[in-house]
Amino acid sequence: MAKGKSIYTKDVILVMAASFFFMFSTMFVNPLINGYAKSLGASSAFAGIIVGIMSIAAMFLRPIAGNLTDKFSKYQLSFIGGILIMIGVIGYVFAPASGWLLLFRIINGTGFVLCTVCMTTWLAFLVPRQHVGQAMGFYGLMNALAMAVAPALAINIYQKTGYRAAIIASAVSSFLMVIMIQFVGNRANPQKRVKKQGSPHHLKIIQKNVLPIALLTTLFAFPYFATQADLVTYAEQRHLHVAVSSFFLIYALVLLLIRVVLKNLFDTVPFGVWFWISLASTFIYIMLLSVMKNNWIMALAAAFMAIGYGVIYSILQSTALLLAPISEQGLASSTFYLGLDVGMSFGPIIMGFVNDILPVKYFYPVQLILLPLMLLVYFRYRKRLNNAINNH
């Protein structure tokens, strides 16, 4: 692509739109699956396993997806991922008993892993390397919008139609993703690598240069997903009269504004600047949620979460790709998402135990322990992280 041209070609726009639909499909089901499993006869414990099995399976599947992405067409793997998501979701609709949900949840999760890793790498393949940060910023925005809008719509539709009819909307969304990628011209076939004579072929679990990114991704994701899982319960336990259903919509709107305003800064400002801004914003939103008493404080917390987590999410994602060689972009992406899976899985689980042990007023203050851990990782790897911007 010639310099000066917009990075938002037809292919880039289609991949971004497709990423919205596959993320929407998955996030639409998440707030419904627990109650749906119980309605099919699952105990609370088994329903919890059904909910969590997707993220747990993802941790083991990420490295495989990363290695596959570096060896096969991103289109082929995204297509397979989309079909698997669709099979899993349609399976939910026709499942005769809760045990079947476990199987279809694993199928859905396998497709989700393929799509997240492949489509991130596909998008990076379609734009000049010096604009990866900007592209990842808007790609992250598509994901954030899907994660904010899908759960709210799912709950509203379910209340009107019931579980099975509501989940059909998720299947339609995954179908739209599969159709959309058919019109992408550049199928992102991998570059052929010259194999060194005598070098054994082996499966890499992580891209080692991206390890600090995975650690930071886990730490920043922990309070985000703990909030996503427990904000409603937290407000109820504290007897707060706040519109918690609006929290993530405000988050998405602020994030949209940030992405439009910042544009190319994602590709020109060093990692450290974003880290300190996000670290300070994380501290602020955790403190605001600790003292939340009304909708104004809640809205302010959502805005700072958009700065604290929404911004660093895209920075971490683009930095992961810049730290890895071109031949290992898929593995870099899977390493980033592995960090996300850990935060997504263990944030709600650990904070669930904390909520059982400590009074609810400590739910957010105890999460401040994550900030010094972020600082430890940053200072240990700051030279590598800040030099990543030179790898365009």
Side-chain angles (χ1 to χ4, degrees):
M1 184 185 296
K3 288 185 179 180
K5 286 187 178 181
S6 170
I7 67 168
Y8 301 107
T9 62
K10 178 197 72 147
D11 284 355
V12 167
I13 291 170
L14 285 170
V15 170
M16 284 189 176
S19 74
F20 173 87
F21 283 117
F22 91 74
M23 186 65 72
F24 181 96
S25 176
T26 301
M27 295 301 155
F28 188 96
V29 171
N30 281 352
L32 304 180
I33 197 71
N34 189 293
Y36 183 41
K38 289 178 181 177
S39 75
L40 292 178
S43 65
S44 294
F46 188 53
I49 292 171
I50 290 170
V51 172
I53 193 67
M54 196 169 92
S55 295
I56 294 169
M59 290 186 215
F60 295 97
L61 293 171
R62 290 288 181 199
I64 298 172
N67 281 271
L68 288 174
T69 301
D70 290 323
K71 293 175 175 61
F72 296 96
S73 158
K74 280 66 173 175
Y75 159 77
Q76 290 176 332
L77 294 174
S78 296
F79 177 74
I80 293 169
I83 294 295
L84 289 174
I85 291 174
M86 195 158 49
I87 291 171
V89 174
I90 292 171
Y92 299 152
V93 176
F94 294 102
S98 60
W100 285 92
L101 292 180
L102 196 67
L103 170 63
F104 290 120
R105 192 82 170 140
I106 292 172
I107 294 171
N108 189 348
T110 303
F112 181 69
V113 167
L114 279 174
C115 286
T116 50
V117 174
C118 295
M119 297 198 75
T120 304
T121 315
W122 194 356
L123 184 63
F125 188 95
L126 294 173
V127 300
R129 198 159 170 83
Q130 66 268 25
H131 293 301
V132 165
Q134 183 183 354
M136 288 301 109
F138 279 96
Y139 179 83
L141 177 61
M142 292 297 102
N143 289 341
L145 288 173
M147 286 189 279
V149 174
L153 264 179
I155 292 168
N156 286 329
I157 295 174
Y158 149 70
Q159 289 172 341
K160 293 182 175 73
T161 66
Y163 287 113
R164 292 183 192 270
I167 292 172
I168 291 173
S170 174
V172 171
S173 185
S174 59
F175 174 73
L176 289 173
M177 174 263 173
V178 170
I179 294 300
M180 198 157 285
I181 63 173
Q182 305 308 314
F183 298 96
V184 180
N186 189 331
R187 299 295 173 90
N189 293 304
Q191 296 179 355
K192 290 184 179 180
R193 286 186 283 181
V194 178
K195 188 178 178 182
K196 293 180 181 178
Q197 192 171 6
S199 62
H201 178 76
H202 59 280
L203 178 75
K204 291 186 177 180
I205 304 300
I206 62 168
Q207 213 295 320
K208 62 180 181 180
N209 292 337
V210 184
L211 180 60
I213 293 293
L215 294 172
L216 286 173
T217 301
T218 294
L219 293 171
F220 276 104
F222 187 107
Y224 173 84
F225 286 104
T227 298
Q228 187 184 71
D230 295 315
L231 185 61
V232 173
T233 305
Y234 173 76
E236 289 173 352
Q237 289 178 325
R238 287 193 56 205
H239 307 291
L240 300 174
H241 299 290
V242 293
V244 289
S245 60
S246 302
F247 183 87
F248 284 98
L249 290 176
I250 296 169
Y251 166 88
L253 289 172
V254 174
L255 191 59
L256 174 61
L257 180 63
I258 290 170
R259 295 279 160 72
V260 171
V261 171
L262 295 181
K263 291 183 180 178
N264 297 333
L265 291 179
F266 286 105
D267 293 305
T268 57
V269 176
F271 181 91
V273 175
W274 301 114
F275 172 80
W276 287 110
I277 291 172
S278 296
L279 185 78
S281 298
T282 299
F283 173 80
I284 292 169
Y285 86 70
I286 288 176
M287 292 306 298
L288 286 170
L289 288 169
S290 299
V291 301
M292 180 172 62
K293 292 180 180 178
N294 55 51
N295 286 325
W296 290 107
I297 297 177
M298 186 199 71
L300 200 57
F304 274 101
M305 180 181 276
I307 302 170
Y309 178 72
V311 169
I312 201 66
Y313 176 94
S314 296
I315 297 300
L316 289 166
Q317 193 171 37
S318 59
T319 303
L321 295 170
L322 292 174
L323 286 173
I326 295 294
S327 61
E328 294 186 356
Q329 293 290 279
L331 191 61
S333 183
S334 71
T335 303
F336 162 80
Y337 278 112
L338 181 61
L340 189 68
D341 290 331
V342 175
M344 188 188 306
S345 301
F346 289 100
I349 291 172
I350 292 173
M351 291 315 299
F353 282 114
V354 169
N355 198 31
D356 285 339
I357 297 168
L358 298 176
V360 68
K361 66 180 180 180
Y362 295 113
F363 184 83
Y364 280 104
V366 298
Q367 296 183 49
L368 292 174
I369 196 174
L370 297 166
L371 274 63
L373 296 177
M374 295 172 188
L375 286 169
L376 283 174
V377 175
Y378 174 71
F379 281 118
R380 171 65 180 84
Y381 296 102
R382 67 184 183 278
K383 186 174 180 181
R384 182 192 303 180
L385 294 168
N386 284 310
N387 285 340
I389 200 170
N390 301 318
N391 296 338
H392 281 123

